[in-house]
Amino acid sequence: MSPADDEGPTGVHCRLDELLEARGMTLVRLSEIVGVSVVNLSILKNDRARAIRYSTLAAICRALDCEIGDLLVRAD
């Protein structure tokens, strides 16, 4: 399988669930703050995303007051 293949695990884990819980924030509230749909945030949260825009990543990190490395970690 090539790295660009859209099948199978990405080797990246999104810690969005843990960060939201630690900050007492809901996915709906994060959606309102960053302007990304709850559905798209849920895809990210459940490690089903294949890509994320830098602007979205930056907005999520601003809203959660975290670094990119706090949000996305290697899962291999």
Side-chain angles (χ1 to χ4, degrees), residues 13-76:
H13 170 63
C14 180
R15 296 185 62 245
L16 186 54
D17 223 11
E18 297 110 284
L19 293 170
L20 286 170
E21 184 176 332
R23 285 149 179 82
M25 187 183 295
T26 65
L27 203 60
V28 172
R29 181 64 184 134
L30 181 63
S31 171
E32 293 167 350
I33 294 169
V34 300
V36 175
S37 73
V38 172
V39 170
N40 284 338
L41 288 175
S42 182
I43 289 168
L44 183 63
K45 178 178 78 82
N46 293 311
D47 292 331
R48 293 193 319 259
R50 295 288 167 208
I52 183 169
R53 291 180 186 204
Y54 284 159
S55 58
T56 301
L57 191 55
I60 291 170
C61 288
R62 270 193 306 276
L64 296 175
D65 190 28
C66 70
E67 295 296 324
I68 293 168
D70 297 329
L71 181 64
L72 300 176
V73 296
R74 286 180 49 188
D76 44 49

